[in-house]
Amino acid sequence: MNDEAPYPDNSHCPRRAWVLDQLADDESIKGQCRPSSAVQLHLARCETCRMASEELLATNELLADVIAATPSDALLRDADRRATQAIQAGAKPSRRIDLSRIPEESRRDSGPADSILVRYPEIRWLYERRQIIAASVVLMALVGFSALLHVWKGEPNIAEIELKRVDRHPVTWPADNPPSKKVAPATPQITGGRFVANSRPAKSVRRDPVRDASLEHVGSSQRAFPIPEIEESKTSLLKTMSNGLREFLIDTRLTVDSTSPNSPEERSRNEE
Amino acid sequence: MTMANVSMPADEPVRRNASAVTAHRWLYALMEAEGPAVLRMLWRILGNEADVLDAYQDCFCKLAGMDKKPKIRQARAYLFRTAANIAIEFIRVRKRQKKHAGAILDVHADRNGESLMPQEALERERAIASLHEAIDQLPAHLRNVLLVRDFSGKSYKEVAEILGIDKATARVYRRTAIVKLANLLQEGSAS
Ligand SMILES: [Zn+2]
């Protein structure tokens, strides 16, 4: 504190809070109502702090004056006797005040967080919203956990299910309700908390026996998708990819066959 | 002062009924251990014997009326916080009575409005009354630290134990209380 430059009058001194804190600390002034030499040095040079400290020093002096008063031993004996008699008489109060207004002191003044909050007041807003924050964290954790569970459960391949669905459910419109020219987009229905995609088929689906055979292992006709928008976009992407691959294979006159030769030896044997 | 009818010679030792001692053994032990500190606090806040005796009595009666016997550490905390609350309530009652009966100046003034007290004593009394009012306006957690620390004369370690906070917090609370008190007194003198 030796690099003290005098601050101009009425300006805000950045050390004001420190000065007041020092002056308010009974351990730093050691009951003498006199600030430490560092504070004294600053006060000698800083008009702002000097003015701000005057009221504080006056308060210190007033407090010291009040605290200097000590009750006599006789008063203590008298007080003990009267309190004892009152307790023995069934805890009879003086009735000078309404004792029911005095709270039952069963609670601490502050939680352990208070010491941190006193030192870091800027995080108080976080502490005050701690319940909302905790609830959000729990909610996010639950959502994340359920998403993980969903992945680990090993849901069947959506694309395969979708392709199978499209192929296995030919267009069977009721006779009294023929389809219009325009194909309405599939609308999901909610059943039992899960989304079920409508099984309205795509407009032009060519049946492919090869692909049908390869999809034979795909399970039952259950088509329950947790999030239809995501699943639909995934399905359409995979469908586009598989269609493109199929057309490429047809163009290059290659057949998709499980017995197609893989090794060069097998390939040459077939050519022969 | 309803207990005025049970006044006894001042030097007679405290006698306790055997059955009452068993029922409230913890309370008497507390009185013996912490009575002087509590009395000191009440005396420094209230400053007159009649109020101090009544407040002290009320304090132990309030604890005796508790449903459950607290643990020793809790009992100590209850005692000091109850004493602080009771002292503040006495100050509030006094303030209401003063408002009702007229300002402090009037109490000590003669028929012509001239003060019967020396000017210095009158100013001191006014300053102490403002201090009491300012203490009343402090938030409870700051006020309790100030009262237990300064008015009871407990160390920060004891303050921390009694109020269930850590030592550093107690010291910070005390400093905050003093700065707030100074502001309140300044506002009071300005208005
Ligand atoms: Zn300064």
Side-chain angles (χ1 to χ4, degrees):
Chain A
M1 290 291 132
N2 296 326
D3 56 335
E4 299 290 327
Y7 292 98
D9 288 0
N10 302 322
S11 71
H12 178 70
C13 170
R15 292 213 169 111
R16 190 175 177 274
W18 169 76
V19 167
L20 293 182
D21 219 38
Q22 290 290 306
L23 291 175
D25 191 356
D26 56 346
E27 288 203 336
S28 73
I29 61 172
K30 298 283 175 213
Q32 298 296 309
C33 300
R34 271 171 56 192
S36 67
S37 53
V39 176
Q40 280 181 357
L41 187 66
H42 182 83
L43 287 176
R45 295 178 182 192
C46 180
E47 174 73 21
T48 312
C49 290
R50 208 162 42 240
M51 280 165 68
S53 67
E54 268 167 24
E55 197 62 40
L56 200 68
L57 290 171
T59 305
N60 273 343
E61 272 173 32
L62 181 59
L63 207 57
D65 181 20
V66 169
I67 286 163
T70 304
S72 64
D73 288 347
L75 184 66
L76 179 64
R77 276 198 301 275
D78 201 16
D80 274 351
R81 189 178 306 108
R82 281 187 46 180
T84 303
Q85 286 172 342
I87 293 166
Q88 288 179 350
K92 276 187 180 167
S94 73
R95 300 195 193 286
R96 287 273 305 283
I97 57 163
D98 182 3
L99 265 194
S100 65
R101 285 169 62 105
I102 307 297
E104 282 281 343
E105 290 294 348
S106 55
R107 168 175 80 75
R108 284 151 61 110
D109 280 323
S110 53
D114 267 43
S115 57
I116 299 165
L117 293 175
V118 166
R119 281 173 223 164
Y120 307 103
E122 60 273 19
I123 61 159
R124 184 170 281 277
W125 68 272
L126 263 178
Y127 179 72
E128 281 162 359
R129 288 163 182 78
R130 64 194 182 280
Q131 281 158 344
I132 298 168
I133 293 166
S136 318
V137 168
V138 168
L139 192 69
M140 285 195 305
L142 276 175
V143 168
F145 185 65
S146 63
L148 270 180
L149 265 186
H150 181 73
V151 169
W152 286 337
K153 246 170 40 186
E155 288 280 321
N157 186 315
I158 302 298
E160 288 185 346
I161 289 173
E162 182 66 12
L163 289 172
K164 190 162 183 281
R165 173 177 72 79
V166 165
D167 288 342
R168 283 200 166 176
H169 294 267
V171 188
T172 51
W173 303 107
D176 57 336
N177 187 17
S180 61
K181 296 279 181 196
K182 291 176 190 165
V183 176
T187 45
Q189 298 167 344
I190 298 167
T191 54
R194 302 191 78 184
F195 284 97
V196 178
N198 266 357
S199 59
R200 185 166 291 188
K203 200 178 177 185
S204 60
V205 178
R206 273 192 300 149
R207 296 195 59 82
D208 185 341
V210 176
R211 195 189 59 192
D212 272 6
S214 69
L215 291 176
E216 218 39 67
H217 68 278
V218 176
S220 69
S221 61
Q222 187 206 355
R223 288 177 303 284
F225 309 121
I227 308 164
E229 291 87 347
I230 296 171
E231 300 307 335
E232 275 169 17
S233 60
K234 273 164 73 181
T235 307
S236 65
L237 177 68
L238 286 168
K239 249 159 73 177
T240 313
M241 283 167 68
S242 65
N243 284 341
L245 180 66
R246 196 170 58 213
E247 274 160 23
F248 171 77
L249 291 174
I250 290 164
D251 287 351
T252 52
R253 294 170 189 280
L254 287 171
T255 53
V256 180
D257 195 318
S258 59
T259 58
S260 63
N262 292 319
S263 63
E265 291 85 1
E266 279 174 332
R267 215 179 293 150
S268 61
R269 208 184 306 138
N270 280 357
E271 279 165 5
E272 283 167 19
Chain B
M1 288 271 289
T2 52
M3 291 306 288
N5 55 341
V6 288
S7 61
M8 299 171 90
D11 52 349
E12 191 177 313
V14 181
R15 283 193 194 133
R16 284 163 190 160
N17 173 304
S19 62
V21 166
T22 317
H24 295 292
R25 191 190 298 272
W26 67 275
L27 202 54
Y28 295 126
L30 196 62
M31 196 187 289
E32 218 149 292
E34 298 296 351
V38 169
L39 193 81
R40 202 156 45 230
M41 179 165 103
L42 295 173
W43 177 249
R44 286 169 177 176
I45 301 172
L46 300 173
N48 83 63
E49 281 194 17
D51 284 1
V52 169
L53 290 173
D54 284 344
Y56 191 84
Q57 176 188 334
D58 284 353
C59 191
F60 284 98
C61 287
K62 179 80 183 170
L63 264 73
M66 278 170 60
D67 297 336
K68 267 198 301 190
K69 178 196 152 190
K71 289 174 189 164
I72 293 170
R73 261 180 115 168
Q74 282 177 333
R76 199 166 165 230
Y78 292 175
L79 174 66
F80 278 96
R81 289 204 293 243
T82 304
N85 288 333
I86 285 175
I88 293 301
E89 192 57 30
F90 266 82
I91 285 173
R92 286 175 190 164
V93 167
R94 202 187 271 179
K95 193 179 159 188
R96 282 198 292 271
Q97 285 170 348
K98 204 178 278 174
K99 228 177 195 175
H100 187 69
I104 184 171
L105 189 70
D106 300 333
V107 176
H108 300 288
D110 65 11
R111 217 176 292 173
N112 305 319
E114 303 253 324
S115 176
L116 298 176
M117 287 175 89
Q119 187 62 26
E120 206 178 315
L122 192 65
E123 271 175 16
R124 184 179 178 271
E125 195 162 320
R126 271 194 207 138
I128 291 173
S130 331
L131 179 71
H132 288 159
E133 279 183 30
I135 289 173
D136 180 19
Q137 287 176 54
L138 284 178
H141 65 289
L142 301 182
R143 185 174 62 219
N144 286 348
V145 169
L146 184 74
L147 294 185
V148 178
R149 165 73 183 159
D150 292 272
F151 287 73
S152 291
K154 293 282 182 188
S155 68
Y156 277 119
K157 189 169 172 265
E158 288 171 306
V159 172
E161 274 175 20
I162 288 168
L163 298 178
I165 51 178
D166 64 66
K167 220 175 119 179
T169 306
R171 209 172 149 186
V172 172
Y173 279 0
R174 198 258 173 200
R175 286 204 299 259
T176 314
I178 297 291
V179 174
K180 271 189 190 288
L181 267 189
N183 289 339
L184 287 166
L185 287 171
Q186 197 169 19
E187 282 167 21
S189 62
S191 66

